[in-house]
Amino acid sequence: MPKVSVIVPFYNVEKYIEKCLNSLVNQTLKEIEIILVNDGSQDNSYKIAKEFQEKYADKVKYYEKPNGGLGDARNFGINYATGEYIAFLDSDDYVEPTMYEEMYEKAKQEDADMVECDFWWEYPDKKREDIGPEYANQKEMLYKSRVVAWNKLIKTEIYKNHPEARFAVGLRYEDVEGFYKILPYIKKVSYVRKCFIHYIQRQGSISNTQNKRNEEIFTVLDNVIDYYKRNNLYDEFQQELEYVYARYLLCSSFLRIVKIKDKTIKQELLNKTWQNLNTKFPDWKENEILNNNKSMKNLYIRSVNKITFKIYSYILR
């Protein structure tokens, strides 16, 4: 039985996938399963992936499916994972050789449901460390966590036992929906305080392209809230969910929307941002986390009202 299953969806990344896969097949952890999911690639990515599968048949598995997006491909890969833990890696990123061995050892030492590491933001001419916070409990994890899939190991049985807790399909922000849905079942979190992942920043990637699809954050956040309500989790995590909703709409999502070049679409989504926040959480300004945590980000959020919202949307464009 593999110790770790690494799921790598790919779509038209022939310039990057070889470096990604080399970093995986050369891991110091020998009991590793690398699950390659060809999400309908139309370039030579699949040829490179098949070459790795043939050369490293003992550890590399190759699957094909029609194009459905990153979330759909990750969900597909989960179905084939046989390792104790699942990890995800984007096909244009790469990792340090000892990553999965060190994270797996930490998981076993502390019987962790999830292990998290730090990472590098890697630009063409520079890189910077991303050092995350630690969480005292699930509630802190909900509002403090870095919501990315690829810097974590999560017990495979958690995904298998909760098949409804999967990534968003056909939408941006699939990590947001995927992580917040699986979070209630993660009881024990451990950390390896090392930057193992090189998170490659490429111009033109989905995360760096701002357009009408930015409005999909509203659907994803609504899906998360509906999931908590359906599973009788909402009352327990209401303050955290309200805070996360406000923070997304007034911080990261807001910054993306103001950079949309089409002025009509930009104004439409700004209006929708303000309307959704104040309709779904009319008392968001009274949120306990927002008012008890005196960070600069929270100071900014507390300063937002109908007038300053318009001012900030002009200043930050």
Side-chain angles (χ1 to χ4, degrees), residues 208-223:
N208 290 320
T209 304
Q210 315 312 329
N211 52 40
K212 188 170 173 58
R213 291 199 64 188
N214 287 91
E215 72 178 340
E216 292 171 14
I217 187 63
F218 306 128
T219 302
V220 164
L221 290 173
D222 287 348
N223 288 347

Side-chain angles (χ1 to χ4, degrees), residues 128-140:
R128 65 176 175 86
E129 289 182 316
D130 194 305
I131 308 298
E134 297 191 9
Y135 331 117
N137 51 52
Q138 285 176 306
K139 291 187 174 185
E140 282 195 6

Side-chain angles (χ1 to χ4, degrees), residues 129-177:
E129 289 182 316
D130 194 305
I131 308 298
E134 297 191 9
Y135 331 117
N137 51 52
Q138 285 176 306
K139 291 187 174 185
E140 282 195 6
M141 181 164 56
L142 201 157
Y143 70 85
K144 285 185 176 182
S145 60
R146 294 171 292 182
V147 184
V148 294
W150 32 257
N151 73 329
K152 301 170 178 70
L153 292 189
I154 296 177
K155 277 185 177 177
T156 302
E157 66 183 33
I158 296 176
Y159 280 110
K160 302 291 187 181
N161 293 339
H162 301 281
E164 74 285 1
R166 296 292 173 93
F167 294 92
V169 175
L171 298 169
R172 286 189 179 184
Y173 314 105
E174 63 284 320
D175 284 5
V176 174
E177 185 165 333

